[in-house]
Amino acid sequence: MNCRWRIRAVVFVFLLVAASAFDYKDALSKSLLYFEAQRSGRLPYNQRVTWRSHSGLIDGLQQGVDLVGGYYDAGDHVKFGLPMAFTVTLLSWSVIEYGEQIAAAGEYGHALEAIKWGTDYFIKAHTEREVLWVEVGDGDTDHYCWQRSEDMTTSRKAYKIDSEHPGSDVAGETAAAMAAAAVVFRRENPRYAEILLRHARELFEFADRRRGRYDGSVGEARRYYPSWSGYEDELLWAALWMHRATGREEYVDYVVEKAEEFGGTGWAMTEFSWDVKFAGVQILASKLLIEGNLSKKQRGVLEQYRSKAEHYICACLNKNNGSNVHRTPGGMLFVREWNNMQYVANAAFLLSVYSDHLSEAGRGLRCPRGVVAVDDLAREAKAQVDYILGSNPSGISYLVGYGPKYPTKVHHRGASIVSYKRSKGFIGCMQGYYNWYARRDPNPNIIIGALVGGPDLKDRFEDDRRNYMQTEACTYNTAPLVGIFAKLHQPIIRRVSNSTTFSS
């Protein structure tokens, strides 16, 4: 073997070892820390992210309602209801699917705390049967400031939807979040689960009765979290989570009856996100097929949902004829430039969940470009997670605080400014920009567990806090990783039927 081939062999072996050496338990622990860094409100005595302090303590006061609490979505200080609710839905789904693995890693309590911090806020925000407060602060004034949340001087005006100003998308997603959380808390705290379920039921009815997009009612959200996909996917999504929480057939009937009208069996998707829920809807609907007592009509429509779910899965595996998710040279799934890692994390989670579903159902997967083994889904999910953690051309972990090399200049106001605990002197809007935003030094506070936006379609990444498309992190980026980190740390062992069948 000549020297060149010897070097290549050594590099190849190194990459194999590196890829198999990730500490998923550590990644899980760090991912849950991130949600503590994003807390708004009065922080509890057991707060582990110690560079943060209380903030947003008068939220809602101007409108005469208590809206203290909840999460900041990203590197700024607006509380946007739609992405916050999606974050909580995904955290709850992670616990529902992989709760035993999360518990085995010693993180079950922290996972429940992360969910409850969000649902406690939603209970406050749902002040009447047909009133839901869906935003505190506004992005325009917030983005003019570079301040710690503890120093906020920007507007904390709150915005709501009601019977005259509908928002089926955000009401539906909040219903989904509370229903999914009710499943999680049913054993641990049944009284709290019942409270969540009551709110979820009222919100779903509100969303369905008063149909309309929330960004038509709350113009301040339109520039930041517009509902491009409409509200139909959230209504189907909420109905499926209501069925999961209650077992009531009326919700299955809803998903079946509205399948065509709402696009559930029409849209063939290659992404899943806080806005576009169809792939998640289709996977949840597919899972109903292993339940008994389905009518012929229900089974027929659910099979259509499954066909579209498998289009998404096959797209992630590059097994469709033409309609696949693009891949970078390093193997990362790539949907779009801005915050692409949200799509990667979501895809890894859905691949993992669907892999488990196929195993449980004793089925295989037939894509347009051939039969796919169930293990291939799990392998692809792991490959995407490993890319996040450092198995990529840059050798960098895009999960902040994990591994020896990770982004140090995250686009995050609180992380980039000296901690309020260390320096309580007031820092104004422009002072933050002049003294902290433009600094070339690493952030003084490490926002552990944040999943940044990540590299471009050629695997290039610039660690610069001004590069918000790549260095800003969001709560819904990290949320799906909680479940899959736990699964990879403690893999599920299932008995698979000897006879595997394929759908036509």
Side-chain angles (χ1 to χ4, degrees):
M1 183 184 289
N2 63 34
C3 183
R4 180 185 300 173
W5 284 105
R6 228 178 248 135
I7 291 171
R8 288 181 179 175
V10 169
V11 170
F12 179 69
V13 170
F14 172 77
L15 289 174
L16 283 177
V17 171
S20 65
F22 292 118
D23 186 343
Y24 300 113
K25 182 178 183 294
D26 184 48
L28 169 61
S29 299
K30 285 179 164 57
S31 68
L32 287 166
L33 272 175
Y34 170 60
F35 296 100
E36 297 192 22
Q38 293 300 105
R39 286 172 170 171
S40 179
R42 185 167 295 279
L43 303 185
Y45 73 93
N46 60 349
Q47 169 81 7
R48 295 179 296 162
V49 179
T50 57
W51 54 267
R52 281 293 324 283
S53 190
H54 311 311
S55 64
L57 298 182
I58 60 169
D59 284 359
L61 181 63
Q62 184 180 347
Q63 285 73 35
V65 59
D66 177 7
L67 296 175
V68 176
Y71 287 112
Y72 303 119
D73 72 301
D76 47 27
H77 302 132
V78 182
K79 295 192 296 199
F80 291 103
L82 183 58
M84 191 194 308
F86 183 62
T87 296
V88 172
T89 308
L90 288 188
L91 281 171
S92 297
W93 196 2
S94 289
V95 173
I96 290 166
E97 296 288 342
Y98 303 117
E100 290 185 9
Q101 291 80 8
I102 294 171
E107 294 293 342
Y108 194 74
H110 293 139
L112 264 58
E113 287 173 4
I115 294 168
K116 194 171 184 294
W117 194 267
T119 52
D120 283 351
Y121 175 78
F122 298 145
I123 290 170
K124 289 182 174 184
H126 184 212
T127 52
E128 299 177 37
R129 183 178 288 270
E130 292 192 348
V131 175
L132 178 66
W133 296 86
V134 299
E135 183 175 331
V136 178
D138 74 86
D140 290 344
T141 60
D142 187 272
H143 285 192
Y144 281 118
C145 270
W146 196 262
Q147 281 182 300
R148 302 173 296 198
S149 59
E150 295 85 355
D151 289 327
M152 273 191 293
T153 56
T154 51
S155 169
R156 301 308 289 170
K157 183 178 178 180
Y159 303 88
K160 67 180 178 179
I161 57 170
D162 56 31
S163 59
E164 300 297 320
H165 308 89
S168 300
D169 27 31
V170 66
E173 184 59 63
T174 309
M178 299 181 96
V183 177
V184 171
F185 284 103
R186 181 171 292 143
R187 186 180 64 179
E188 306 294 330
N189 191 341
R191 184 175 178 277
Y192 187 65
E194 284 301 316
I195 293 171
L196 293 176
L197 197 53
R198 175 174 60 80
H199 282 279
R201 187 178 297 112
E202 291 181 0
L203 283 167
F204 176 72
E205 291 171 357
F206 170 35
D208 191 39
R209 185 185 304 114
R210 312 288 188 183
R211 294 183 190 171
R213 283 173 45 165
Y214 93 111
D215 55 5
S217 299
V218 182
E220 288 73 14
R222 196 174 301 130
R223 285 185 56 195
Y224 301 95
Y225 286 99
S227 185
W228 293 116
S229 70
Y231 56 77
E232 292 85 354
D233 50 342
E234 278 87 6
L235 288 176
L236 295 171
W237 177 246
L240 285 162
W241 281 113
M242 288 300 297
H243 171 70
R244 186 72 176 262
T246 66
R248 295 180 64 165
E249 191 172 354
E250 65 189 79
Y251 296 111
V252 179
D253 290 337
Y254 184 94
V255 170
V256 168
E257 294 297 331
K258 302 294 185 184
E260 185 176 352
E261 178 187 350
F262 285 179
T265 55
W267 286 105
M269 304 306 302
T270 55
E271 67 175 84
F272 174 58
S273 70
W274 59 266
D275 178 31
V276 186
K277 314 280 171 38
F278 285 110
V281 165
Q282 291 153 359
I283 284 174
L284 283 180
S286 300
K287 288 165 70 69
L288 297 178
L289 284 165
I290 63 174
E291 296 184 0
N293 303 319
L294 291 172
S295 70
K296 183 177 179 180
K297 179 182 178 180
Q298 288 174 331
R299 185 167 293 278
V301 174
L302 292 175
E303 290 280 4
Q304 295 176 49
Y305 276 105
R306 180 166 72 184
S307 174
K308 291 301 189 288
E310 294 187 348
H311 174 91
Y312 173 82
I313 297 297
C314 293
C316 292
L317 298 171
N318 199 32
K319 292 292 185 178
N320 282 332
N321 288 326
S323 182
N324 293 305
V325 182
H326 183 78
R327 286 174 183 269
T328 66
M332 177 185 68
L333 295 172
F334 188 85
V335 176
R336 55 181 55 91
E337 292 281 349
W338 197 327
N339 190 21
N340 183 66
M341 275 302 178
Q342 66 175 306
Y343 307 107
V344 177
N346 286 339
F349 181 73
L350 291 188
L351 283 165
S352 180
V353 168
Y354 205 69
S355 171
D356 296 338
H357 165 65
L358 290 176
S359 295
E360 187 176 354
R363 293 183 59 250
L365 174 63
R366 189 183 298 278
C367 293
R369 291 177 57 188
V371 172
V372 177
V374 173
D375 287 348
D376 289 341
L377 278 69
R379 273 193 289 270
E380 182 59 37
K382 181 179 183 299
Q384 295 302 316
V385 170
D386 288 352
Y387 185 104
I388 289 170
L389 294 181
S391 184
N392 56 63
S394 298
I396 185 173
S397 166
Y398 294 107
L399 188 78
V400 177
Y402 178 88
K405 183 181 178 183
Y406 50 82
T408 61
K409 301 172 186 175
V410 180
H411 182 92
H412 188 280
R413 286 157 174 75
S416 69
I417 301 174
V418 63
S419 168
Y420 184 79
K421 295 285 187 69
R422 290 185 56 195
S423 176
K424 290 183 170 58
F426 176 77
I427 295 174
C429 288
M430 292 298 102
Q431 183 184 357
Y433 270 118
Y434 295 147
N435 295 348
W436 297 96
Y437 179 73
R439 286 163 62 100
R440 296 184 179 275
D441 296 337
N443 291 348
N445 308 304
I446 301 173
I447 187 158
I448 294 172
L451 177 61
V452 297
D456 66 14
L457 78 171
K458 294 186 178 179
D459 300 296
R460 297 172 301 197
F461 177 77
E462 183 183 2
D463 186 11
D464 185 331
R465 72 180 60 88
R466 295 169 297 183
N467 179 21
Y468 51 83
M469 293 175 70
Q470 293 190 330
T471 64
E472 188 167 24
C474 301
T475 56
Y476 46 85
N477 293 15
T478 296
L481 293 178
V482 169
I484 195 165
F485 284 153
K487 180 187 176 181
L488 290 171
H489 172 61
Q490 292 278 337
I492 295 175
I493 300 173
R494 296 180 183 270
R495 289 189 179 182
V496 182
S497 170
N498 291 329
S499 59
T500 302
T501 59
F502 297 92
S503 59
S504 58

